[in-house]
Amino acid sequence: MTFNTTAYVAFGCGMNSLQALEKGKHHFAQAFDEMQMLITARIIDPLFEIKRFFQIGLQEIRIVQSKHILHRESSAIINKVGQLLHDDELHSVVMNILLAGRDTTACFISWAFFEIIKRPDVIQKIVREATEICGGTNGYTHDT
């Protein structure tokens, strides 16, 4: 949802990610998630710079493939918006805005839950309000 909203507000175009979910995960989100995971995994590989340079291994091949998907998506936005800047500049702008709109929500939710779990009194209030609104626990407990 944040992804769609960011694309619409920033560029005036919809990404239709909710409709894409009916068929599975949106290809932009899937490519981004995979690239993020693969790049993070590079941290523990002392040979990653060599592997990246020579494109050795499935991990490096998947990073390049994911990069192409992300580039294609940003190109589609650029084609809808117009040619106000050079393509390379526009790709950077589009990717920064889309990723910022996507990651800030995930980061906020993680931070909110991190802060909430430190406050049992707040957890009790949340559970109480959710129970009132949803009409019972439906078999769920505080631990689930």
Side-chain angles (χ1 to χ4, degrees), residues 3 13 15 26-29 31 67-79 91 94-95 98:
F3 178 59
C13 62
M15 298 301 286
H26 190 276
H27 51 277
F28 178 93
K67 184 178 177 181
H68 288 300
I69 292 169
L70 298 175
H71 187 80
R72 186 179 65 234
E73 289 298 312
S74 61
S75 292
I77 292 172
I78 289 167
N79 291 334
H91 281 287
V94 167
M95 291 304 297
L98 290 176

Side-chain angles (χ1 to χ4, degrees), residues 3-23:
F3 178 59
N4 287 339
T5 304
T6 302
Y8 182 75
V9 170
F11 307 113
C13 62
M15 298 301 286
N16 299 322
S17 67
L18 296 179
Q19 288 84 3
L21 285 177
E22 294 170 3
K23 301 173 190 168

Side-chain angles (χ1 to χ4, degrees), residues 16 20 35 47 50 62 90-91 100 103 116 123 143:
N16 299 322
M35 181 180 270
L47 302 175
I50 295 168
R62 288 300 303 150
L90 281 172
H91 281 287
D103 278 355
I116 289 169
I123 293 172
D143 296 325

